Amino acid sequence: MKENQRAIVVGASRGIGLGLVRELLLQQWSVIATLRDITRVPDDLKQLLAEYPDQLELAELDLSHLDTANMITSKYSEGSIDLLLVSAGIAGPEHQRVEQSQPNEIVDLFWVNSIAPVTIARKFLPLMKANSLIAFMSSRMGSVALNDDGSMELYRASKAALNSISRGFAQNEAIPLNIGVLNLHPGWVQTEMGGSQAPVTVKQSTAGLVKVIQASIGSNQHKFIDFQGHEMAW
């Protein structure tokens, strides 16, 4: 790993986002970890700050108020970031049925899972170096081709929307600037969203994701890929 490689991890307060911060720090990255409220830092993130005071810094970014991203864009210079990882996401309403859904539920789900991630990527695009990488946390459930049981239909739709919107962003905006884009499937992971019955630990998922990310930097392509390095059908 080259010295002074810097990543922004959006949604770093818990789960996969927090695990990605930890794994990047282990791989000698400098990390800017964002969380919704800078005055309420989780204990695990405080511990990482104590362990890596020279590599880790925190920044506030609220996906419900995207103008908070301006605090980051004003602080860091153009062409100073090697990796942007957008990890924030929600499961949506428990019923997961289109006929039961209410407009506010759909707005929240698609905003967090589909609209805000690409909006953030567009805001941060000037910060990215040539041959850098932008990675979105997608899901196998976002694949139309691999939808073999129709479960979690609202969540699936939000991740399919992310895959679709990010495709246009990659082709028209990122790749022409020599910036690669990945849509990542982390596996079914033991997080608050994934549940304790999930077969993949946060460590297994994030170690694999960081390995995939590091291997992809400089490729300047758009791929949908899982934490084990397997390309997935859109």
Side-chain angles (χ1 to χ4, degrees):
M1 181 57 54
K2 298 177 183 177
E3 292 184 2
N4 302 319
Q5 285 199 302
R6 178 176 287 151
I8 299 175
V9 179
V10 176
S13 61
R14 60 182 181 178
I16 293 171
L18 176 64
L20 287 167
V21 171
R22 182 178 285 111
E23 196 63 33
L24 287 167
L25 292 169
L26 286 171
Q27 298 296 324
Q28 307 302 314
W29 284 76
S30 294
V31 180
I32 303 156
T34 81
L35 61 167
R36 186 167 54 186
D37 185 350
I38 201 74
T39 67
R40 301 174 64 184
V41 180
D43 289 342
D44 287 343
L45 206 49
K46 289 179 180 177
Q47 181 62 38
L48 287 177
L49 275 171
E51 293 176 16
Y52 299 93
D54 298 326
Q55 288 176 245
L56 177 61
E57 56 186 301
L58 303 184
E60 187 167 280
L61 176 55
D62 186 346
L63 294 183
S64 297
H65 300 90
L66 292 179
D67 56 349
T68 55
N70 297 339
M71 291 183 285
I72 296 174
T73 57
S74 64
K75 182 176 180 180
Y76 298 96
S77 60
E78 291 189 9
S80 64
I81 303 298
D82 299 274
L83 171 65
L84 170 62
L85 255 169
V86 186
S87 182
I90 59 175
E94 186 175 352
H95 57 75
Q96 286 293 319
R97 300 282 297 185
V98 294
E99 75 276 11
Q100 296 179 35
S101 59
Q102 299 298 316
N104 64 306
E105 295 174 330
I106 300 304
V107 169
D108 289 345
L109 178 63
F110 276 74
W111 179 264
V112 173
N113 288 1
S114 317
I115 307 303
V118 179
T119 302
I120 287 295
R122 284 188 170 135
K123 283 179 174 287
F124 287 169
L125 195 59
L127 301 182
M128 307 302 295
K129 294 179 182 178
N131 296 309
S132 61
L133 185 69
I134 294 172
F136 298 103
M137 197 58 60
S138 185
S139 170
R140 182 186 188 278
M141 287 191 171
S143 168
V144 175
L146 298 176
N147 184 357
D148 50 11
D149 66 12
S151 63
M152 297 283 291
E153 60 188 24
L154 295 180
Y155 178 77
R156 283 182 185 274
S158 72
K159 289 299 187 179
L162 171 63
N163 287 352
S164 179
I165 298 167
S166 62
R167 184 66 168 182
F169 166 75
Q171 293 296 111
N172 297 326
E173 297 167 65
I175 292 173
L177 296 176
N178 294 319
I179 298 167
V181 179
L182 292 183
N183 288 44
L184 298 169
H185 169 51
W188 182 11
V189 186
Q190 295 170 10
T191 61
E192 184 176 329
M193 187 186 299
S196 59
Q197 75 277 21
V200 181
T201 67
V202 170
K203 173 64 177 179
Q204 289 169 332
S205 175
T206 55
L209 290 171
V210 169
K211 184 177 180 180
V212 167
I213 286 165
Q214 293 185 151
S216 300
I217 289 178
S219 65
N220 302 331
Q221 301 177 63
H222 185 208
K223 292 183 177 181
F224 185 19
I225 194 165
D226 74 6
F227 73 105
Q228 295 175 309
H230 302 131
E231 284 198 56
M232 307 190 72
W234 294 96

